[in-house]
Amino acid sequence: MLEVLRRVIQEVNGARNLDAALATMVRRIRKAMHTDVCSFYLYDGETQELVLMETIGLHSQAVGHVSLRVGEGLVGLVAEREEPLNLEDAPAHPRFRYFEATGEERYSSFLGVPIIHQRRMLGVLVVQQAEKRRYDEEDEAFLITMGAQLAGVLAHALATGSLSRPALPGGQALFTGVAASPGMAIGEVVVVAPLSDLNSVPDLIPTDVEYEIVRLKEAIERVREEIRAAGERLASRISAQELALFEVYQQMLSEAALSQEVEKRIREGQWAPGALADVVRRHVQYLERVDDDYLRERAADVRDLGRRVLAHLQEETPQIPHVFPESTILVGDEISVATLGEVPRERLAGLVSVRGSSTSHVAIVARAMGVPTVLGMVDLPLPRLSGAEVVLDGHRGRLFVRPSDELKTRYQSLIAEEAALVEVLEHEQDLPSETPDGHVMPLMVNTGLAIDTSVSLKKRISGVGLYRTEVPFMIAERFPGEQEQARLYRDQLESFAPLPVVMRTLDIGGDKDLPYFPIDEANPFLGWRGIRVTLDHPEVLMVQLRAMLRASQGLDNLQILLPMVTNVDEVDDALRMLDRAIRELGEEGIVTPRPRVGVMLEVPATLYQLDALAERVDFFSVGSNDLTQYLLAVDRNNPRVASLYDACHPAVLCAMARLAEDSKRLKKPICVCGEMAGDPAGALLLMGMGFDSLSMNAPSLPRVRAAIRRVSLDAAKTLVHETLALNTPGAVRSHLFARLGEWQLAHLLPPRD
Ligand code: PEP
Ligand code: MG
């Protein structure tokens, strides 16, 4: 059964459109379960009816014509209860209803399962049998599994509007994801295609058909050559039978086979990589469907050959273009910080990716750059988006493809309103960050990107609360050397001197990969991250500490921050290395004072070891992003659980309040440098709790400053008191929204529907 399941799932996922997926599915299910009928009913949210969309066994004329309300008949009962219904004698059930058009009176047995995607009911999958049959537990489990699989395919089809009812009027399609960086934009999609991935090659109309054919032939020839060479290399080591496979590959690539088909597709109006992907996909689907083990195995070969040819075709077509549209919306499966840096800032209007979530590091960088971003758009049909006009809403996590004129006009005016607000807030940016009752709340910035340092910024802040050193490491091609790092750090320290700059030691791992130092783990956020990596690689940490110290010579505004600390020992080890670095540099004639050292409070264990940590370091900085993910056990990078990730969860707020209190008792300054500090409501809460400073992305400063200048410390303390009494994240958010509304500050919060 497992093998059948796997194959059906492969076929359904590989189907070119929803109709094909549904048709395949019902046929395969009927065959696998040896039953008479398999049907699928789609739930239409607008009419609240279940419509027969596909069947094998019932009258095909009934498709699209038979519909029933939720609760009506057995299918309606499955939808109403959202649970499977298994009946040996269906007509005897009090809710049985007969629909003449389907011809279903002949069927005695019934098994129906609901299709649910992210808690939303999408339809019902049914099998029926003429003679009485008790579907067994395995049948039920099989159908439930199929239903769960179909749920993903359906959700995607609904989102893209590829079901017969368009998702929105006017052919507009709407995709939703996780709001990751605020702002809105109208622009043109540029797809970043991962190399050698046949499923994400964009569709493009060729400008020169003959050229596409020539480069296709060249790429195929190069793969043939590679295979011939590999065959020769292996000739003495593998059996004649295995060697014959190389001959098969050669034949597959020969003029008569693959190449001709791809050429035909190019002439029909598709560029070479797109035509290759189409043809390979079609062959793979066909081969995977046949009931012959040998041929099924060949599917993998065809896919592999396709990838090889694609890799050669992509050698000359860059992963992203050199010329970008004026208003580029960069869209990809996974967009790295490095890719982001390749688009000229003035052309980058927005960012969308299939993976990631609101506190993924690419989101943090996007916020620092002020680029509207939506991540975790799991349903995005990447290849079909290239060149499309879109409206991106980074506040609500939405992407409208082919927007209607009406929608575009609405967004143009929302964008203008937002720009006007930024201009108004700009007027008070040189004023102190001080409450009406005279409490000064120091605001700092998080940096890591070269563009962060600007002259006007320096006058408005109390320093850099977090310099993420890993960002320059991520866009390099190898570990930068001591001199190279020292130059980078000197730039940072000089730009902000005499203000303090808190430099964090390398915090890689989790979702921050270095291309030249890959860390491949099942649970990267619980794995080798931050100080765990650098203590295991003292040579890397030592070079970094020396570079920081060297850079701070004569400026003395350096402070060092240790990320991902779990144990007190780790701090001791890092401090020993720091002292050694100071000593060694001294011996080389470079004398530097010992900088102040702080620990990031982001692993929940540190909450309970604050006294011991306070004995060792000079200050604390709360990484609320990680503290939230670890307290709530929610991967900050996983869009599936994004709705559970909330820094305003009562448990997180309670932990934060306690950290502020304990630090006061221990007389250690404490800052918050996670994203919570850059949210006006979050910032007011943190001020009320007693944090000494807040560090945020520069674009968040105006809103936070405006909030602080309008709310007294007393009012913020009351807000904390009221909020800590609430039990759910929803109640906390509503309360914050209501209070900010009363204080006439709702416009500082992200817009809501
Ligand atoms: C945090 O965890 O809150 C933090 C500031 O660090 P990062 O987001 O880089 O993990
Ligand atoms: Mg962190």
Side-chain angles (χ1 to χ4, degrees), residues 236-252:
S236 57
R237 280 184 266 154
I238 58 177
S239 71
Q241 199 188 0
E242 282 165 328
L243 204 57
L245 262 185
F246 286 84
E247 201 37 52
V248 176
Y249 291 165
Q250 291 287 8
Q251 277 167 17
M252 283 181 183

Side-chain angles (χ1 to χ4, degrees), residues 124-395:
V124 175
L125 195 55
V126 174
V127 286
Q128 290 169 282
Q129 180 112 353
E131 74 266 19
K132 280 196 181 164
R133 162 178 175 180
R134 178 87 203 160
Y135 289 107
D136 64 19
E137 215 171 283
E138 195 177 337
D139 293 326
E140 218 176 293
F142 178 80
L143 205 60
I144 289 173
T145 314
M146 283 293 130
Q149 196 57 36
L150 185 55
V153 178
L154 274 177
H156 177 238
L158 280 165
T160 54
S162 63
L163 275 178
S164 39
R165 298 169 296 119
L168 285 170
Q172 201 173 262
L174 165 66
F175 300 89
T176 52
V178 183
S181 172
M184 295 161 282
I186 301 175
E188 187 182 320
V189 169
V190 170
V191 175
V192 189
L195 291 176
S196 312
D197 180 354
L198 290 160
N199 289 324
S200 52
V201 177
D203 286 343
L204 283 181
I205 298 169
T207 43
D208 182 347
V209 167
E210 296 311 322
Y211 167 71
E212 292 299 308
I213 292 171
V214 168
R215 71 192 193 104
L216 169 78
K217 287 188 171 160
E218 278 171 10
I220 290 182
E221 204 36 57
R222 283 162 77 179
V223 176
R224 291 186 70 162
E225 184 52 37
E226 278 170 15
I227 289 171
R228 199 183 49 72
E232 275 174 14
R233 266 198 315 278
L234 294 174
S236 57
R237 280 184 266 154
I238 58 177
S239 71
Q241 199 188 0
E242 282 165 328
L243 204 57
L245 262 185
F246 286 84
E247 201 37 52
V248 176
Y249 291 165
Q250 291 287 8
Q251 277 167 17
M252 283 181 183
L253 286 169
S254 71
E255 285 286 318
L258 198 68
S259 144
Q260 264 187 13
E261 264 189 82
V262 182
E263 193 177 320
K264 182 162 168 270
R265 187 81 188 91
I266 293 176
R267 292 198 189 283
E268 284 165 8
Q270 181 65 277
W271 70 322
L276 176 78
D278 280 351
V279 170
V280 168
R281 248 193 321 252
R282 210 168 48 231
H283 278 273
V284 167
Q285 266 173 34
Y286 168 74
L287 289 170
E288 279 175 344
R289 221 172 280 176
V290 274
D291 270 329
D292 178 306
D293 286 345
Y294 176 80
L295 284 178
R296 264 206 314 279
E297 287 299 314
R298 296 290 71 75
D301 298 335
V302 173
R303 202 184 292 115
D304 180 53
L305 286 176
R307 274 200 208 114
R308 284 165 182 267
V309 177
L310 183 62
H312 283 295
L313 284 173
Q314 287 175 329
E315 268 170 22
E316 44 179 308
T317 33
Q319 198 192 3
I320 51 175
H322 293 306
V323 186
F324 290 91
E326 217 162 276
S327 184
T328 297
I329 310 281
L330 205 57
V331 178
D333 181 51
E334 186 164 26
I335 292 182
S336 68
V337 173
T339 312
L340 206 56
E342 283 178 39
V343 189
R345 176 64 193 94
E346 67 283 2
R347 297 202 163 218
L348 184 60
L351 192 64
V352 177
S353 110
V354 173
R355 292 170 211 237
S357 194
S358 69
T359 47
S360 298
H361 284 90
V362 68
I364 291 173
V365 175
R367 276 199 288 274
M369 294 169 74
V371 179
T373 299
V374 181
L375 302 181
M377 253 187 197
V378 285
D379 294 324
L380 217 53
L382 280 180
R384 313 271 166 260
L385 286 180
S386 181
E389 189 184 32
V390 291
V391 167
L392 179 67
D393 184 338
H395 295 298

Side-chain angles (χ1 to χ4, degrees), residues 69 76 78 98 115 165 199 261 277 319 372 402 405 421 452 568 608 684 697 750:
R69 290 185 316 278
V78 173
Y98 163 56
I115 295 171
R165 298 169 296 119
N199 289 324
E261 264 189 82
Q319 198 192 3
R402 299 182 304 275
D405 287 344
L421 174 65
D452 294 322
V568 170
Y608 304 96
L684 290 176
N697 295 314

Side-chain angles (χ1 to χ4, degrees), residues 406-445:
E406 193 191 332
L407 188 98
K408 262 195 326 194
T409 315
R410 183 146 60 84
Y411 267 91
Q412 269 153 356
S413 68
L414 289 173
I415 291 169
E417 265 173 43
E418 201 160 68
L421 174 65
V422 170
E423 211 169 293
V424 169
L425 294 178
E426 177 60 26
H427 291 307
E428 54 182 289
Q429 288 315 298
D430 289 320
L431 300 174
S433 162
E434 188 178 333
T435 61
D437 52 349
H439 175 73
V440 175
M441 184 73 235
L443 301 184
M444 307 179 88
V445 284

